[in-house]
Amino acid sequence: MLLGLSTAAFYGRWETEEAAAQIARLPLDCAEVFLQSDSENTREFGEQVRENLNGMPCTSVHPMGGYENYMAGRPARQVRDAFDHFRRVLDAGAAMGARTFVYHGRNTPLLKPLPWNLPWNVEALAPMCEEAAQRGMVIGWENVCWCQLTEPSRVLEAKKALPQVRFTLDIKQAMRAGCDPVAFVHAMGDRLCNVHVCDWHEDGTLCLPGEGCFDFDALMKALAETGYDGPVIMEPYLKLIKSGEALLRSIAFMRDKMKE
């Protein structure tokens, strides 16, 4: 497994390319790049980020949302524009060397779960997977408590309907949905391609890995049982990083858990 950090950890402090340069200086194996504005969705910007990573692999690209609801919309122009946006993000990700496109999926501005709509998801994701494959990439559909992929049973349905789709596990989103992250590991199985980790206290307040109560031993055991050897991306919010020293301690903690 590879230990990485998302540039989203520095959202609001540095621009994306600056965050990439900072991550390149840390004792990590890889990075996930969070694209935070539309002007960043270009091959040229992807090449700049790749240069700033200074040889550190970018394993995944994660765009800011807003277009997902229109991937299978009713107006043809709406769908076309959404796919244009999607293709530009893919191009930026490919220029970075990313293998996985992290996808949230259909959602509501109220940030509440929508009823499960498998046919809509198939209609949107099938062509998305084809576009990604043309660039040597896969769609890593992420479990998100306020989107469509909210529980392991939905993962199992999606696996049957979409054999080409892969999955991103977000452990904090599993917790917020009232699910055991380990159950998602087993449901995603050999289609798991990316893992987002954070940590939390008993009351659900988020923190850096190693500062909370989450059972990382159980997570690592489950990942090993499925044969997972891909990236494990630390994805804390900026406010959780109290200092550079705290971040380094968290990185060391994750290293130890992954070795064990």
Side-chain angles (χ1 to χ4, degrees):
M1 286 185 279
L2 303 174
L3 180 60
L5 180 68
S6 171
T7 61
F10 303 117
Y11 177 75
R13 175 178 293 175
W14 292 309
E15 298 290 352
T16 304
E17 71 276 21
E18 296 170 337
Q22 293 293 328
I23 289 175
R25 300 185 181 101
L26 294 171
L28 295 162
D29 306 316
C30 63
E32 177 172 289
V33 175
F34 176 70
L35 296 175
Q36 53 195 34
S37 68
D38 192 54
S39 64
E40 296 179 352
N41 302 332
T42 67
R43 290 186 181 91
E44 293 75 17
F45 186 77
E47 290 167 356
Q48 178 63 62
V49 170
R50 188 169 189 166
E51 181 178 339
N52 285 18
L53 284 171
N54 196 29
M56 178 178 287
C58 168
T59 53
S60 49
V61 61
H62 191 346
M64 180 173 282
Y67 67 94
E68 295 101 325
N69 285 334
Y70 311 117
M71 302 304 288
R74 292 180 180 177
R77 184 179 297 119
Q78 191 179 80
V79 175
R80 184 175 66 247
D81 288 352
F83 267 89
D84 284 345
H85 178 103
F86 168 65
R87 291 186 189 99
R88 286 187 283 112
V89 177
L90 282 179
D91 290 340
M96 296 173 204
R99 167 69 175 155
T100 298
F101 178 101
V102 180
Y103 173 69
H104 278 176
R106 193 179 186 191
N107 59 78
T108 166
L110 298 177
L111 300 185
K112 294 181 179 179
L114 288 169
W116 179 231
N117 188 336
L118 184 58
W120 189 98
N121 290 304
V122 171
E123 183 180 353
L125 278 160
M128 290 178 70
C129 288
E130 292 177 7
E131 290 280 354
Q134 292 172 14
R135 296 162 177 82
M137 298 173 69
V138 297
I139 302 298
W141 193 3
E142 185 175 24
N143 63 292
V144 180
C145 68
W146 42 271
C147 294
Q148 284 279 278
L149 210 62
T150 57
E151 55 191 56
S153 63
R154 294 185 178 184
V155 172
L156 296 175
E157 290 186 49
K159 285 173 70 174
K160 292 179 180 179
L162 289 157
Q164 64 273 57
V165 80
R166 299 295 183 266
F167 298 99
T168 292
L169 166 64
D170 188 311
I171 67 170
K172 73 176 178 298
Q173 291 291 343
M175 176 270 292
R176 287 174 167 174
C179 299
D180 181 356
V182 169
F184 273 102
V185 173
H186 293 308
M188 293 174 177
D190 62 2
R191 305 266 288 276
L192 179 62
C193 67
N194 194 32
V195 178
H196 286 163
V197 296
C198 198
D199 203 349
W200 53 85
H201 300 292
E202 293 287 351
D203 63 358
T205 304
L206 298 179
C207 56
L208 286 173
E211 295 180 352
C213 63
F214 178 68
D215 188 351
F216 279 95
D217 292 326
L219 175 67
M220 293 302 160
K221 181 174 182 291
L223 291 174
E225 288 173 349
T226 64
Y228 182 75
D229 63 356
V232 176
I233 304 293
M234 297 170 60
E235 194 192 36
Y237 298 121
L238 177 61
K239 65 181 180 180
L240 305 184
I241 305 174
K242 305 303 182 184
S243 67
E245 292 77 14
L247 179 58
L248 288 173
R249 284 195 300 272
S250 185
I251 291 172
F253 169 84
M254 286 302 305
R255 284 277 187 214
D256 288 343
K257 293 300 177 184
M258 291 168 71
K259 288 177 182 177
E260 292 172 7

